[in-house]
Amino acid sequence: MEKIKEKEKGIPFNLENEVAYADGSVVSKTLLNSLAGTVTLFSFDAGQGLSEHTAPFDAMVHLLDGEAKITIGGNPNLVSKGDMLIMPANVPHALMAEKPFKMLLIMIRGKQE
């Protein structure tokens, strides 16, 4: 299995510049991957998305650019640049790019209350 190369620690960087848009694609870049959790940067071209799925832990999304529809438990949420949203553990969710968008996904593994 190939080791994921994380972002160099202790060096400032700009999130929006770390991942580019790609025509008709979803691009992801893992910034941090540890037993405690993951931090992943994504870009979605318009019309691209992630189909409905669940995760065993809460996940927080921060939109850095653009606009997306994030559906959680059947309830759609329109989110745009600057918005944050917490997707609860074990609840089906899906993402769709209404416009091209970039997001930071933070998943902390641990005890669920």
Side-chain angles (χ1 to χ4, degrees), residues 6-109:
E6 293 181 4
K7 193 69 187 154
E8 189 174 354
K9 296 174 184 170
I11 306 295
F13 61 97
N14 182 290
L15 285 175
E16 287 188 57
N17 297 334
E18 285 296 314
V19 66
Y21 290 112
D23 289 340
S25 298
V26 176
V27 178
S28 68
K29 181 176 184 178
T30 301
L31 302 177
L32 188 63
N33 185 11
S34 74
L35 292 176
T38 58
V39 177
T40 309
L41 190 57
F42 287 88
S43 71
F44 292 77
D45 195 15
Q48 299 298 308
L50 297 177
S51 59
E52 187 174 70
H53 61 283
T54 60
F57 304 102
D58 290 345
M60 185 168 58
V61 171
H62 180 202
L63 252 71
L64 304 170
D65 188 33
E67 189 173 284
K69 180 172 71 172
I70 301 178
T71 303
I72 301 172
N75 298 313
N77 300 279
L78 190 59
V79 291
S80 58
K81 181 177 181 172
D83 290 342
M84 295 182 81
L85 181 67
I86 298 173
M87 299 180 293
N90 302 311
V91 176
H93 56 271
L95 295 87
M96 179 58 63
E98 298 292 307
K99 299 177 182 176
F101 79 97
K102 294 180 182 181
M103 72 175 196
L104 186 66
L105 176 70
I106 303 166
M107 184 179 295
I108 310 265
R109 298 180 185 112

